[in-house]
Amino acid sequence: MLSKIARRPEWIGIAGGLALLAVEFALVSAVYPPAGLAFLYFLGMTVVLYISLAGKRWEEPVLLFVFYSGLIIIVYYINYITFPEFYGFTPASIAGTDDSYFYSLVASSLPADFPTREFYHTRTHPYELLMEWGTPFTIEHPFEILFFNAVGAVFIPVFSRSLAQVVTKDERVARLTFWLVALCPFLMNHSLVLVRDGWTAALFAGSLAFFLRGKFVRAAVLGAVLFFLRVASGLQLGLVAGIMSLLFLYRLESRKKQVLYLGGAAALGIIALTIVYPILISQAQRLAGGEIIGLLYRETYLDVISSDSFLGRINSQPLPIRLPAALLFFISFPFFAPETVTAKGSFVWRGFMNCIYSIAFIFYFKFLVQGMIKGIIGKSDFSRITVFSTIILISLLSQASMQLRHKTVVMPMIYLLISYGYYNSSKIGRQIGWFALFGIAVANVGKFLTGV
């Protein structure tokens, strides 16, 4: 019996994953014993959510959790060794994250010199509330909450695969989308640390996939949580779902099915608004204070970027130039910038991950262009709508948000199109794809040489 199991590669992988799980549990427990229970709690949450939303097998969520939680432990100690004054978190002034701030919001106590924002204890944040609702114990050590983000990270590739399946009806595309998303350095940068961007990507892909499958209640719940975490991301989901709805109504010949679909879509909206009602009230208070622009348009972001930077120069151009240039910039970012790998003589892992992604994306960009062209000129309505939706979302991000980390939410759709272009292309698409690859390679080399 054991010899038969040993000959099955999947069982060898599962056994190795379980062994790593045991090592991670032991390591976390040795550092802070109550954190071991928190580790198991988040593992259990992952499996329960997976079985409820994605499938009945336990192996995939466990192995993905082992992978991401292991990376979280590695990242924590890299931060702790390189910048010990930040207690294992990423320095905001160097790595551009707020994870120490979010930890300060949920932790029961902090060291006197812990780096956070002034008057942090007087503020609340949707991400803080989500962590507190999902964590029924007191948080006294980073290991008691860091693995909350491993839960969200697990579902980014899972929901991205589901979205690719319903859009392309091609298992090859879905499988490649899963692996590209699961191993994406850019997504890791924003899902392994204690920030909300990884969760928004998972919720966006999951809600849209359920919506396209006609599972409106699940889509509504995930969409409501997304809207709660970030209003702008919820509106982006609503925009894409609305565009997709037009396609559905066009293709449904039965009046009964049209009524059923519209009813489901209406139920989605009602449930989402009901769940997200408290955050809407708090946002209404901000509107009353005259901050409506700040919710959707980060105008203040222009004040903190250098006028000599790529984005600064792009945003100073006339509208006909700014729109397409900003679109290309957001699709292509981050560029190769080896100077970001070190700071103050120390290694910065996020800069290293961005460099890996920038090199890989030079080649990905060819298949992204191929996928977009094939989607537009092909016979699949779903693929065509996906291309237009992706372009619209990135255009909105480049003009309204302007914060490059917000690109995280649209990464599942970008990888879907990359995978689609890998398996489906036209002659003209392949030709343009090679020119696109050359162009983005030149842009990366140019940025590296000029230091812009």
Side-chain angles (χ1 to χ4, degrees):
M1 179 67 177
L2 291 177
S3 61
K4 291 182 179 180
I5 293 176
R7 286 197 296 266
R8 297 180 61 183
E10 64 268 26
W11 281 105
I12 296 176
I14 292 172
L18 293 177
L20 286 175
L21 179 67
V23 171
E24 291 173 6
F25 172 74
L27 177 61
V28 170
S29 300
V31 173
Y32 188 72
L37 296 177
F39 179 83
L40 294 179
Y41 170 79
F42 288 123
L43 171 62
M45 177 188 293
T46 301
V47 174
V48 171
L49 288 176
Y50 182 92
I51 292 175
S52 302
L53 298 172
K56 301 303 180 184
R57 296 190 63 182
W58 59 270
E59 298 93 338
E60 182 172 83
V62 170
L63 294 178
L64 285 172
F65 184 86
V66 169
F67 175 64
Y68 289 118
S69 59
L71 291 177
I72 286 173
I73 294 173
I74 292 172
V75 164
Y76 174 82
Y77 279 109
I78 289 176
N79 288 330
Y80 201 89
I81 293 171
T82 54
F83 300 99
E85 66 272 24
F86 287 89
Y87 293 91
F89 295 93
T90 51
S93 58
I94 296 173
T97 59
D98 287 325
D99 54 339
S100 61
Y101 168 64
F102 287 123
Y103 178 71
S104 70
L105 294 179
V106 296
S108 59
S109 61
L110 296 171
D113 58 343
F114 189 85
T116 188
R117 300 177 185 177
E118 189 178 10
F119 303 117
Y120 69 93
H121 56 279
T122 65
R123 302 169 182 171
T124 58
H125 191 279
Y127 182 53
E128 169 205 357
L129 297 176
L130 184 66
M131 287 190 286
E132 291 177 345
W133 292 341
T135 308
F137 42 81
T138 302
I139 298 167
E140 299 179 346
H141 188 278
F143 279 166
E144 290 184 294
I145 192 60
L146 283 175
F147 302 109
F148 175 78
N149 262 32
V151 181
V154 165
F155 287 95
I156 306 176
V158 170
F159 286 150
S160 296
R161 178 181 59 198
S162 179
L163 181 60
Q165 286 172 334
V166 71
V167 168
T168 68
K169 304 295 190 297
D170 190 332
E171 288 298 323
R172 300 174 304 166
V173 173
R175 185 164 52 249
L176 182 57
T177 300
F178 173 90
W179 285 111
L180 290 177
V181 170
L183 301 176
C184 174
F186 184 82
L187 286 171
M188 290 180 187
N189 260 349
H190 300 287
S191 58
L192 298 181
V193 296
L194 211 60
V195 294
R196 59 181 172 172
D197 297 284
W199 274 97
T200 61
L203 292 167
F204 183 92
S207 182
L208 187 58
F210 283 131
F211 182 80
L212 296 180
R213 293 180 184 276
K215 298 180 179 180
F216 300 114
V217 174
R218 295 182 183 183
V221 173
L222 295 184
V225 178
L226 175 63
F227 202 107
F228 178 83
L229 275 181
R230 182 181 289 139
V231 173
S233 297
L235 293 175
Q236 291 162 6
L237 172 65
L239 174 64
V240 176
I243 295 173
M244 296 289 188
S245 296
L246 298 177
L247 174 61
F248 269 107
L249 292 177
Y250 171 76
R251 296 179 62 181
L252 293 176
E253 298 179 357
S254 168
R255 178 62 60 87
K256 180 179 179 181
K257 289 184 178 180
Q258 289 180 345
V259 172
L260 178 63
Y261 192 85
L262 285 176
L268 185 156
I270 293 172
I271 294 174
L273 288 175
T274 301
I275 296 176
V276 84
Y277 179 76
I279 192 64
L280 291 179
I281 294 300
S282 65
Q283 297 291 12
Q285 294 173 349
R286 291 181 59 187
L287 298 181
E291 297 185 30
I292 184 170
I293 297 298
L295 289 176
L296 304 175
Y297 177 63
R298 301 297 182 94
E299 188 176 15
T300 55
Y301 191 65
L302 291 174
D303 298 331
V304 300
I305 62 174
S306 172
S307 59
D308 294 329
S309 67
F310 262 26
L311 187 57
R313 292 181 179 182
I314 288 172
N315 278 285
S316 65
Q317 302 301 314
L319 186 64
I321 298 176
R322 184 173 76 241
L323 285 177
L327 171 67
L328 290 174
F329 179 82
F330 261 71
I331 290 177
S332 307
F333 176 86
F335 293 96
F336 183 67
E339 67 274 10
T340 63
V341 176
T342 58
K344 298 181 180 180
S346 297
F347 174 73
V348 180
W349 70 272
R350 284 172 58 86
F352 176 73
M353 298 289 278
N354 276 340
C355 285
I356 293 177
Y357 173 80
S358 64
I359 295 173
F361 195 76
I362 292 175
F363 302 95
Y364 290 167
F365 195 56
K366 173 183 183 294
F367 300 110
L368 175 62
V369 171
Q370 288 180 189
M372 285 183 165
I373 293 175
K374 182 63 176 180
I376 292 173
I377 68 176
K379 298 180 180 179
S380 172
D381 292 331
F382 265 132
S383 299
R384 189 175 298 110
I385 290 293
T386 302
V387 172
F388 289 139
S389 298
T390 303
I391 292 174
I392 290 171
L393 286 183
I394 297 177
S395 298
L396 289 175
L397 287 173
S398 68
Q399 297 303 309
S401 168
M402 289 184 287
Q403 297 218 38
L404 298 168
R405 64 185 175 85
H406 290 170
K407 173 184 170 182
T408 306
V409 73
V410 77
M411 286 303 297
M413 297 180 70
I414 290 177
Y415 275 123
L416 189 163
L417 292 173
I418 290 172
S419 302
Y420 184 72
Y422 181 81
Y423 287 109
N424 303 272
S425 63
S426 60
K427 182 179 180 180
I428 185 65
R430 290 189 294 271
Q431 292 173 342
I432 297 177
W434 280 113
F435 281 109
L437 185 153
F438 178 75
I440 193 173
V442 169
N444 274 273
V445 172
K447 184 182 186 306
F448 172 69
L449 294 177
T450 62
V452 176

